[in-house]
Amino acid sequence: MSPLLDVSDDVRAEIGDEEAERLLAGENAPGAYDCTSCRTPGNTSQERTSTVLFVGGETAVLAFAHASCIPSQVVSVSEEQLRGAVRSITGETQPGQSGEATRGQAVLGVTCGQILIDDELFPAIVVEPTEPIVRPGSQGPGDDFLPLLIEGGFMPVSDVARAPSMLGGWSVLLAMGKLHAVLQNDPAGGDASAWWQAHEPLSVTDGWRASANQRHTVFVYAAPAGTIGQQPREDLLREALEKAAAGGLLVAAAMPLAGT
Ligand SMILES: [Zn+2]
């Protein structure tokens, strides 16, 4: 039986007709896979599956996703991001790697909103853990979330009206208009990894997507657990950010956008 694979025109253009036909004929289809979007198991013989091609500067990696999660598409990423994306696709982790401090201990909640700076709207995401984050090896109590991020290059925010500065080595991965991950390069020169990976790709508003694509930059704000909370409107989110900044509980960085 041939696999239930979707190969979009742009994926086909990248991999070529021959490879596309081989996939559709089942020669190269994976059978069982982990969905690149929701990361739960899928099977090309049992459910409609999208081919997703991550294209870096020199290499490309073909991945698979439930068609119900994301459509077949090409995602452009840098070579470093490609390696990070591949690791998050395959679910590999490197124990002890720096940057993992905030993973596996608490869930990072992420809220998208646009933020007005100098009369211009910028796409922003606000990251807030569900519970205090302690340094690896530390037993707590306390919350090391902000110190860890500042060590990673985030800057404390004292005035929300000022744009955060660009942080090298990090990026925000958007695919088919949904937020997938915040990627971080290994400062030691190794492969990039997903600092935050969406459990399910996060929908963003048309306005957010438009300004992200226009500016190729996303402002990433972070605050300790219990600081911001779920804010249903952008003006309320702004107020909460200003309050956090006034209390010394807000850090931020500008990151380039990867994907579209
Ligand atoms: Zn899925």
Side-chain angles (χ1 to χ4, degrees), residues 64-153:
F64 300 89
H66 302 119
S68 54
C69 286
I70 47 172
S72 176
Q73 63 190 282
V74 175
V75 180
S76 298
V77 292
S78 76
E79 205 61 27
E80 291 75 35
Q81 289 160 349
L82 181 63
R83 290 195 289 265
V86 171
R87 179 164 316 106
S88 62
I89 290 164
T90 55
E92 290 172 41
T93 54
Q94 295 181 333
Q97 186 189 14
S98 68
E100 282 205 326
T102 51
R103 283 194 279 159
Q105 298 171 18
V107 176
L108 297 180
V110 167
T111 310
C112 295
Q114 292 192 84
I115 191 150
L116 192 68
I117 292 177
D118 289 335
D119 293 326
E120 290 192 70
L121 281 171
F122 292 84
I125 65 176
V126 180
V127 182
E128 182 178 357
T130 52
E131 47 192 289
I133 304 280
V134 294
R135 211 172 272 280
S138 153
Q139 296 300 311
D143 191 337
D144 297 323
F145 187 53
L146 292 195
L148 285 165
L149 284 178
I150 289 168
E151 285 165 25

Side-chain angles (χ1 to χ4, degrees), residues 122 152-155 163-172 215-220 252-258:
F122 292 84
F154 280 66
M155 298 291 284
S165 44
M166 198 61 138
L167 177 57
W170 291 64
S171 55
V172 174
R215 300 189 183 279
H216 301 289
T217 299
V218 177
F219 293 167
V220 179
M255 297 181 190
L257 180 73

Side-chain angles (χ1 to χ4, degrees), residues 33-42 47 64-70 199-201:
Y33 61 89
D34 281 332
C35 173
T36 181
S37 178
C38 73
R39 304 179 81 177
T40 64
E47 56 211 311
F64 300 89
H66 302 119
S68 54
C69 286
I70 47 172
H199 179 61
E200 269 178 51

Side-chain angles (χ1 to χ4, degrees), residues 159-182:
D159 184 358
V160 178
R162 296 235 308 267
S165 44
M166 198 61 138
L167 177 57
W170 291 64
S171 55
V172 174
L173 180 63
L174 199 68
M176 271 318 265
K178 288 192 172 184
L179 189 61
H180 280 248
V182 175

